[in-house]
Amino acid sequence: QQQVKQSPQSLIVQKGGISIINCAYENTAFDYFPWYQQFPGKGPALLIAIRPDVSEKKEGRFTISFNKSAKQFSLHIMDSQPGDSATYFCAASKETSGSRLTFGEGTQLTVNP
Amino acid sequence: NAGVTQTPKFRILKIGQSMTLQCAQDMNHNYMYWYRQDPGMGLKLIYYSVGAGITDKGEVPNGYNVSRSTTEDFPLRLELAAPSQTSVYFCASSSWTSGDTQYFGPGTRLTVL
């Protein structure tokens, strides 16, 4: 069973703080690890993604850290803002384009002003 | 580009009724997917398609059927609605040119009573 485990289920952070969401996977064949962001009433949208040939990828305030040996990856949101309040999903797949994503359970992030 | 569109936005069904959830994309993507989202469970893949005329089961296909007669459309059919099918359904698409990014529609909230 291909699984991706995500924690925590919910997270409350003060404005300006750092939000950290963690994911662990089982299948070593996975080679693509995206994070999706979902606002209430909307569909998920790709936020940032990483492949296992690098250990970190940064885009603005968002950073993915990847630990291949531990089979873990995490999303860091620096200087968290109320507008970041959303549900975040990690995912993984083992194929190139057209890949079937296996999603984590999701983390509901609330950033208090 | 409208992207991925889904209809209806909301629907209430009685047990045993049937319905079709519509999904269309105008990005000429060859891959399309149907997911269901339940609270605390992430997104589960129901069916996917790699091109017109080709469909395959995902993680939770029981109770659903799909067809893909054109590149643009990927309807999801519920034949005998059950309360366990109460969920939010998302359609997504991707292609070789989009890399591994899946583009999601706005979702259909279905309640079976």
Side-chain angles (χ1 to χ4, degrees), chain A residues 1-2 9 32 36 38 41-46 51 87 89 93 95-106, chain B residues 31 33 35 37 40-45 48 57-59 90 94-106:
Chain A
Q1 177 75 15
Q2 298 178 352
Q9 190 172 23
Y32 176 68
Y36 279 78
Q38 183 183 30
K42 305 292 185 181
L46 179 67
R51 297 194 184 275
T87 300
F89 294 97
S93 67
E95 301 166 5
T96 52
S97 294
S99 55
R100 297 172 54 178
L101 290 171
T102 299
F103 282 88
E105 299 90 342
Chain B
Y31 301 102
Y33 315 83
Y35 294 91
Q37 182 178 22
M41 299 294 290
L43 293 102
K44 301 293 186 184
L45 183 66
Y48 69 102
K57 296 178 180 179
E59 188 179 354
F90 288 100
S94 69
S95 76
W96 290 103
T97 58
S98 75
D100 290 291
T101 301
Q102 292 189 15
Y103 295 86
F104 283 78

